[in-house]
Amino acid sequence: MTPRTIGVTEVALRDAHQSLMATRMAMEDMVDACADIDQAGFWSVECWGGATYDACIRFLNEDPWQRLRTFRELMPNSRLQMLLRGQNLLGYRHYEDGVVERFVEKSAENGMDVFRVFDALNDPRNMARAMQAVKKTGKHAQGTICYTISPLHTTEGYIKLAGQLLDMGAESIALKDMAALLQPQAAYDVVKGIKDTYGDVQVNVHCHSTTGVTLVSLMKAIEAGADVVDTAISSMSLGPGHNPTESLVAMLEGTEYTTDLDMDRLLRIRDHFAKVRPKYAQFESATLVDTDIFSSQIPGGMLSNMESQLKAQGAGDRIREVMAEVPLVKADAGHPPLVTPSSQIVGTQAVFNVLMGKYKVLTGEFADLMLGYYGECIGERNPEVVEVARAQTKKEPITQRPADLLEPEWDKLVAEATALPGNDGSDEDVLTYAMFPSVAPGFFENRADGPKNVGKTPEQMASQAAAKGDDDRAVKGPITYKVSLGGREHNVVVERA
Amino acid sequence: MTPRTIGVTEVALRDAHQSLMATRMAMEDMVDACADIDQAGFWSVECWGGATYDACIRFLNEDPWQRLRTFRELMPNSRLQMLLRGQNLLGYRHYEDGVVERFVEKSAENGMDVFRVFDALNDPRNMARAMQAVKKTGKHAQGTICYTISPLHTTEGYIKLAGQLLDMGAESIALKDMAALLQPQAAYDVVKGIKDTYGDVQVNVHCHSTTGVTLVSLMKAIEAGADVVDTAISSMSLGPGHNPTESLVAMLEGTEYTTDLDMDRLLRIRDHFAKVRPKYAQFESATLVDTDIFSSQIPGGMLSNMESQLKAQGAGDRIREVMAEVPLVKADAGHPPLVTPSSQIVGTQAVFNVLMGKYKVLTGEFADLMLGYYGECIGERNPEVVEVARAQTKKEPITQRPADLLEPEWDKLVAEATALPGNDGSDEDVLTYAMFPSVAPGFFENRADGPKNVGKTPEQMASQAAAKGDDDRAVKGPITYKVSLGGREHNVVVERA
């Protein structure tokens, strides 16, 4: 029997460094791997998204659109893939439909092929316009299910959501597991359910590796019929990142499934990033494997957020109370998946409830969530808390699609963006301003300085390697000290002989 | 349907620290976890073996028998498990049968319950006496298949070997994958084959996680009927170690299988070792995932051995030639699994072949391997190389069981051991001397000094943590420098203000 070929999406250029090193990787540390990535046989190459866009203009002084065009040029044979937050695009608010259309159009024009469209609340209405816009460009519109666990989330519910995404024209369905919560049996059940219900629709599965269990989930998803899975080259894998690409290849050897990946290319990609990764060590978290989320239901990033909020209030000892409060707040909000931004919104409200009394003070975002301004969740919202939100904000609850409330805003965005020093007058710049209005002005102004690499320089890496052999307490380079000697103070430069 | 309960062997106390931190963990860093390990519901607790025994007397000044008795006392409800190198016991040579019997008897007497008996060449004759000895004590005799990949190793061959082990009275069969080579389909096929052929025999599966793929292999082994699998608590897992215990639990949730593990206990065990592991950071390797072995067939540890041998000869640039030579030498030797000691023997000979010409000089060990003094391999040995070995060593090839050539040696060992200063006259001390004749004398002499912890002290950990916040190049404590100033030399103490 000919084995069935499983497609692979390589995430090294986007989600891997986002998850492992706070999205800090500079384009110059990626370009040398692109030829091999382009030729390795991936189904697609994920390389763009909200956090990379943000990091480009906030930390790296890189034009994200230029990054996209460079990827396009360096990987002419690949499907370039991006993650798009539905009506939020790459920003944190709802955009008016005209902006959504323009953003998608420009992304396609600059080289994007596959748009993975998702919404944090799984509200199909927040994905519909972006999907439509993608269809209009002729590119690949992928509808996304954000996977989570709650008393209300069921296999049937996910299958139904897949149907809604297909109804809006999704060319494929992504099962997206941001928190490494997708256990093997659930992976099997959801994928099998989608395949059984809707026939031969393409299913992509995206997992993080945080809980140590999701390579098994990918195996089960493949057994259930999944067509494409997401992995990261081994030197950019594991921990809060993804399962290693080479391990996936090894996993399928001898089975009824195979990949068409070129192992020699994979090893060159691996070796490239093995050299690059240590440059960004200061941005890495220490987490290697963490299964706490299965019992706490609280993603690791959310937990550390809440801890630092508590500490800032001198209440670091109340984390257990907050952890017990989270599921209650989540239930009151109708069981949103806990991902950006819902995780921050729910977490901060849980902190407020513990410190100031239950729903005594709502954050603006939590009030909006309760009033429907982020869209609909799977569950009903607690009417008593909705009433508190209404009373506090004087805003009325809504049931329509949040973006329906927005006026056309493109012309206003153009006017504001083009007034900024350094703006180049392109639609791309308008979109950058639209996505990150507080960061874009600084970026436009300094863009001419060119890209900034926040990783360690080759010189720093070399001196660090040299120092590693030394005693822990030794001086590692020339340092000027104030030294008192015989009652007089001197400036003394000290360095290794 | 009631799910089938999968037993779990926790390896944190033996193979995990052997694989992750060169077997350096001191008993004092384990005792506080024992109560939780004892109550967590493991099928067995692996806690003793050759490398831990060796490390006890070589580095830690601990009596390995005392360690065993302490484990016995602290874990009264657990099956304690050890790894036994068949006729080699815990040493590196073949022992005469009387010594084998005595060693097993004493191990049982001191508290051992499950003996996992293996031979590096998979030669059943090298396991038979140890198995017999275990049966005689009434303890659990587990016969072991060392898993490897070669042109001669087949599923059928492994099934046949399982039968031979059962014929010698094995109460269970262990499928032991030291190099993380066991891919999911093979795991399924071998376990299924054993179950289909021999009925309801207990099968245990042991995998390392180096290649990133073996948690999937455990899943497939379980689907094929495996009864017990080996894992390590997450804070002592991954890399060259094992799959995380908590991830295994999560993997099985919702499936037809379950574990009886107590998650609260697991989390306490995890937290204990999360605190301990950083103390031994200097012994850890950087490998997180490495799939090279699938193509090179050369385990990571063996590769680094060969590299350092080449460098010592000023021939570091010839590693590629040596890597190409390894499979040829392995084939000439009849395809032994590449594990201790066969990996060192084959690797060193490959280095010799490249540096001095093909089989111009044989190591004594390789000659012995070619002449049958380690036992039989799956394949025939190259007769031309056997002839070279004969000519060089003036020894004749043998076909009988190597230990059959040995004279009774117990009385001689007793005489030699009891003559050593510090020997306490016990059979246990004789056995320690028998296992490690060059290390035991020093250990006996210094034993009274008590255990030595080679991990960082709490003070070192604290000062390290404090220093971490400082700039990389900063002085971390008071240091005295010789400083020349105005032509005169001064001793100057420098520290942070």
Side-chain angles (χ1 to χ4, degrees):
Chain A
M1 201 189 64
T2 318
R4 181 162 74 86
T5 299
I6 305 301
V8 178
T9 294
E10 171 60 50
V11 302
L13 304 178
R14 201 280 298 176
D15 203 6
H17 73 100
Q18 177 172 335
S19 304
L20 296 174
M21 45 187 75
T23 335
R24 293 304 203 281
M25 195 180 286
M27 188 63 184
E28 67 165 346
D29 285 326
M30 305 188 219
V31 288
D32 289 344
C34 286
D36 285 316
I37 293 176
D38 192 43
Q39 297 290 337
F42 293 113
W43 185 82
S44 68
V45 178
E46 199 201 34
C47 60
W48 223 52
T52 51
Y53 197 110
D54 187 348
C56 271
I57 61 171
R58 195 184 296 267
F59 303 117
L60 307 178
N61 209 40
E62 273 187 47
D63 191 320
W65 295 95
Q66 183 52 51
R67 181 182 279 204
L68 173 55
R69 288 188 293 270
T70 306
F71 279 139
R72 179 70 291 160
E73 199 185 307
L74 295 177
M75 296 185 282
N77 304 293
S78 297
R79 285 188 194 92
L80 301 186
Q81 181 172 318
M82 77 172 293
L83 186 64
L84 189 72
R85 298 179 187 141
Q87 203 74 23
N88 300 149
L89 297 174
L90 302 185
Y92 298 102
R93 67 168 175 95
H94 286 258
Y95 292 91
E96 179 268 329
D97 294 334
V99 181
V100 171
E101 259 176 54
R102 234 172 271 244
F103 184 89
V104 169
E105 204 177 276
K106 284 288 148 193
S107 302
E109 217 178 282
N110 280 275
M112 192 49 62
D113 297 303
V114 180
F115 294 75
R116 177 172 287 174
V117 180
F118 82 103
D119 176 66
L121 302 190
N122 278 333
D123 185 339
R125 303 170 307 164
N126 290 338
M127 296 184 258
R129 278 316 268 270
M131 298 278 284
Q132 231 172 63
V134 177
K135 302 287 289 178
K136 212 169 122 189
T137 66
K139 302 294 185 176
H140 186 116
Q142 184 169 84
T144 304
I145 298 168
C146 286
Y147 182 79
T148 191
I149 299 174
S150 86
L152 301 182
H153 286 86
T154 60
T155 303
E156 293 65 39
Y158 289 124
I159 295 170
K160 188 180 148 217
L161 178 55
Q164 292 172 301
L165 296 167
L166 290 171
D167 287 344
M168 38 176 104
E171 245 184 277
S172 60
I173 300 292
L175 180 58
K176 176 177 160 67
D177 170 34
M178 313 72 51
L181 276 170
L182 182 65
Q183 285 163 285
Q185 189 65 46
Y188 185 89
D189 293 342
V190 174
V191 174
K192 187 80 166 48
I194 293 172
K195 289 280 182 175
D196 285 353
T197 311
Y198 306 110
D200 200 21
V201 50
Q202 176 179 324
V203 177
N204 292 41
V205 183
H206 173 90
C207 286
H208 284 246
S209 54
T210 331
T211 54
V213 71
T214 58
L215 187 62
V216 187
S217 310
L218 292 186
M219 184 76 205
K220 286 291 155 193
I222 288 168
E223 289 178 0
D227 301 279
V228 182
V229 298
D230 289 12
T231 59
I233 200 76
S234 64
S235 50
M236 288 289 290
S237 74
L238 294 183
H242 310 78
N243 293 293
T245 306
E246 303 97 298
S247 301
L248 178 90
V249 174
M251 171 179 94
L252 295 181
E253 275 170 16
T255 69
E256 302 164 37
Y257 317 100
T258 187
T259 62
D260 270 346
L261 298 180
D262 177 334
M263 191 49 87
D264 290 336
R265 297 273 183 187
L266 294 188
L267 298 184
R268 282 207 291 275
I269 302 165
R270 175 197 67 182
D271 292 344
H272 170 82
F273 286 110
K275 280 199 297 261
V276 165
R277 186 164 173 178
K279 293 176 62 176
Y280 297 93
Q282 71 264 41
F283 299 108
E284 293 222 27
S285 93
T287 300
L288 198 53
V289 55
D290 183 357
T291 59
D292 276 352
I293 189 172
F294 289 121
S295 45
S296 74
Q297 304 286 316
I298 299 171
M302 179 175 166
L303 189 63
S304 50
N305 260 347
M306 296 188 307
E307 279 173 332
S308 56
Q309 287 174 338
L310 282 173
K311 273 185 199 148
Q313 301 299 317
D317 56 331
R318 304 188 70 180
I319 185 69
R320 296 259 147 215
E321 287 168 78
V322 171
M323 284 175 74
E325 182 66 15
V326 165
L328 307 177
V329 175
K330 183 170 176 259
D332 285 337
H335 287 290
L338 293 182
V339 297
T340 305
S342 51
S343 53
Q344 290 88 331
I345 298 173
V346 168
T348 305
Q349 189 58 47
V351 170
F352 274 41
N353 284 3
V354 165
L355 295 183
M356 297 184 265
K358 189 115 176 172
Y359 299 123
K360 286 282 178 266
V361 181
L362 305 190
T363 67
E365 290 79 10
F366 186 74
D368 277 352
L369 181 66
M370 291 307 292
L371 295 169
Y373 289 91
Y374 285 90
E376 294 291 339
C377 279
I378 195 169
E380 262 185 69
R381 295 186 286 270
N382 182 335
E384 289 174 34
V385 185
V386 172
E387 186 47 37
V388 176
R390 208 193 50 75
Q392 182 185 303
T393 61
K394 319 287 182 226
K395 283 159 83 173
E396 287 306 309
I398 63 165
T399 55
Q400 68 265 57
R401 186 181 74 118
D404 284 339
L405 301 174
L406 302 173
E407 298 296 322
E409 56 177 329
W410 180 252
D411 292 345
K412 183 166 165 281
L413 289 167
V414 171
E416 288 172 7
T418 49
L420 293 169
N423 178 287
D424 67 8
S426 67
D427 281 1
E428 285 82 351
D429 264 12
V430 177
L431 290 164
T432 296
Y433 169 72
M435 296 303 110
F436 300 97
S438 62
V439 184
F443 167 67
F444 293 152
E445 209 165 343
N446 300 312
R447 175 162 44 189
D449 298 347
K452 210 166 72 181
N453 191 321
V454 298
K456 292 211 169 77
T457 63
E459 293 71 33
Q460 287 171 318
M461 291 297 288
S463 100
Q464 189 175 306
K468 213 160 182 187
D470 297 355
D471 180 70
D472 253 353
R473 300 167 69 205
V475 167
K476 307 247 168 72
I479 309 182
T480 305
Y481 289 91
K482 279 203 171 78
V483 174
S484 291
L485 185 71
R488 288 178 53 201
E489 207 169 75
H490 308 263
N491 281 326
V492 179
V493 177
V494 176
E495 67 183 304
R496 276 275 167 121
Chain B
M1 202 190 64
T2 317
R4 181 162 73 85
T5 299
I6 306 301
V8 178
T9 295
E10 171 61 49
V11 302
L13 304 179
R14 202 280 298 177
D15 202 7
H17 73 100
Q18 177 173 333
S19 304
L20 296 175
M21 47 187 74
T23 335
R24 293 304 204 282
M25 195 180 286
M27 189 64 183
E28 67 166 344
D29 284 326
M30 305 189 219
V31 290
D32 288 344
C34 286
D36 285 316
I37 293 176
D38 192 43
Q39 298 288 336
F42 293 113
W43 184 82
S44 68
V45 179
E46 199 200 33
C47 61
W48 223 52
T52 50
Y53 197 109
D54 187 347
C56 272
I57 61 170
R58 195 184 295 268
F59 304 115
L60 308 177
N61 209 40
E62 273 187 45
D63 192 320
W65 296 94
Q66 183 52 50
R67 181 183 280 203
L68 173 55
R69 287 188 293 270
T70 306
F71 279 140
R72 179 71 289 162
E73 200 184 307
L74 295 177
M75 295 184 283
N77 304 294
S78 297
R79 286 188 193 92
L80 302 186
Q81 181 172 318
M82 75 174 293
L83 186 63
L84 190 71
R85 300 179 186 141
Q87 203 74 24
N88 300 149
L89 298 173
L90 301 185
Y92 298 102
R93 66 169 177 93
H94 286 259
Y95 292 92
E96 178 269 328
D97 293 334
V99 181
V100 171
E101 260 177 51
R102 233 172 271 244
F103 184 88
V104 168
E105 203 177 275
K106 284 287 147 193
S107 302
E109 218 177 281
N110 280 274
M112 192 49 63
D113 297 302
V114 180
F115 293 74
R116 177 173 288 175
V117 180
F118 82 103
D119 176 65
L121 304 190
N122 278 334
D123 185 339
R125 302 170 309 165
N126 290 338
M127 296 186 259
R129 278 317 268 270
M131 299 278 284
Q132 232 172 61
V134 176
K135 303 286 290 179
K136 213 169 121 189
T137 65
K139 302 295 184 173
H140 186 116
Q142 184 169 85
T144 303
I145 297 168
C146 286
Y147 181 78
T148 190
I149 298 175
S150 86
L152 302 181
H153 286 87
T154 60
T155 303
E156 294 64 39
Y158 288 124
I159 295 170
K160 191 181 146 216
L161 178 54
Q164 292 172 302
L165 296 167
L166 291 171
D167 287 345
M168 38 175 105
E171 245 184 276
S172 60
I173 300 293
L175 180 59
K176 175 178 160 66
D177 170 33
M178 313 73 52
L181 276 171
L182 182 65
Q183 285 163 287
Q185 189 65 47
Y188 185 89
D189 293 341
V190 174
V191 173
K192 188 80 165 45
I194 293 171
K195 288 279 182 176
D196 285 352
T197 311
Y198 307 110
D200 200 21
V201 50
Q202 177 179 321
V203 177
N204 292 42
V205 183
H206 173 90
C207 285
H208 285 246
S209 54
T210 332
T211 55
V213 71
T214 57
L215 187 62
V216 188
S217 310
L218 292 185
M219 185 76 205
K220 286 291 154 190
I222 289 168
E223 289 178 1
D227 302 279
V228 181
V229 297
D230 290 13
T231 59
I233 199 77
S234 64
S235 50
M236 288 289 290
S237 74
L238 294 183
H242 309 77
N243 292 292
T245 306
E246 303 96 299
S247 300
L248 178 90
V249 174
M251 171 179 94
L252 296 181
E253 275 170 16
T255 70
E256 302 164 37
Y257 318 99
T258 187
T259 62
D260 270 346
L261 297 180
D262 177 333
M263 191 49 87
D264 290 336
R265 297 272 183 187
L266 293 189
L267 298 185
R268 282 207 290 274
I269 302 166
R270 175 196 68 179
D271 292 344
H272 170 82
F273 286 109
K275 279 199 297 260
V276 165
R277 186 165 174 177
K279 293 177 61 176
Y280 297 93
Q282 71 264 42
F283 300 107
E284 292 223 27
S285 94
T287 301
L288 198 54
V289 56
D290 183 358
T291 60
D292 275 353
I293 190 172
F294 289 122
S295 45
S296 74
Q297 304 286 316
I298 299 171
M302 180 175 166
L303 190 64
S304 49
N305 260 346
M306 296 189 306
E307 279 173 332
S308 54
Q309 286 173 340
L310 282 174
K311 272 185 200 150
Q313 302 298 317
D317 55 331
R318 304 188 69 179
I319 185 70
R320 297 259 149 216
E321 287 168 78
V322 171
M323 284 175 74
E325 182 66 15
V326 165
L328 307 177
V329 175
K330 183 170 177 258
D332 284 337
H335 287 290
L338 293 182
V339 298
T340 305
S342 52
S343 53
Q344 290 89 332
I345 297 174
V346 167
T348 305
Q349 190 58 48
V351 170
F352 274 41
N353 284 3
V354 165
L355 294 184
M356 296 184 265
K358 190 114 176 175
Y359 298 125
K360 286 283 179 262
V361 182
L362 305 189
T363 68
E365 290 79 9
F366 186 73
D368 277 352
L369 180 66
M370 291 308 293
L371 294 169
Y373 289 91
Y374 285 92
E376 295 289 340
C377 279
I378 195 171
E380 263 185 67
R381 295 185 286 272
N382 182 336
E384 290 173 33
V385 186
V386 172
E387 186 47 38
V388 175
R390 208 193 51 74
Q392 182 186 305
T393 61
K394 318 287 182 224
K395 283 158 82 171
E396 288 305 310
I398 63 167
T399 54
Q400 67 265 56
R401 186 182 75 118
D404 284 340
L405 301 173
L406 303 172
E407 298 296 320
E409 57 176 328
W410 180 253
D411 291 346
K412 183 167 165 281
L413 289 168
V414 171
E416 288 172 7
T418 49
L420 293 168
N423 177 289
D424 68 7
S426 67
D427 282 0
E428 285 82 352
D429 264 13
V430 177
L431 290 164
T432 296
Y433 169 70
M435 296 304 109
F436 300 97
S438 62
V439 185
F443 167 67
F444 292 152
E445 210 165 342
N446 300 312
R447 174 162 46 189
D449 297 348
K452 210 165 73 180
N453 191 321
V454 298
K456 292 213 168 78
T457 62
E459 293 73 32
Q460 287 171 318
M461 292 296 288
S463 100
Q464 190 175 306
K468 215 163 180 180
D470 296 355
D471 180 70
D472 252 354
R473 302 167 68 206
V475 167
K476 306 247 166 73
I479 308 182
T480 304
Y481 289 91
K482 278 203 170 78
V483 174
S484 289
L485 188 70
R488 286 178 55 198
E489 206 170 74
H490 308 264
N491 281 326
V492 180
V493 177
V494 176
E495 66 184 305
R496 276 274 168 119

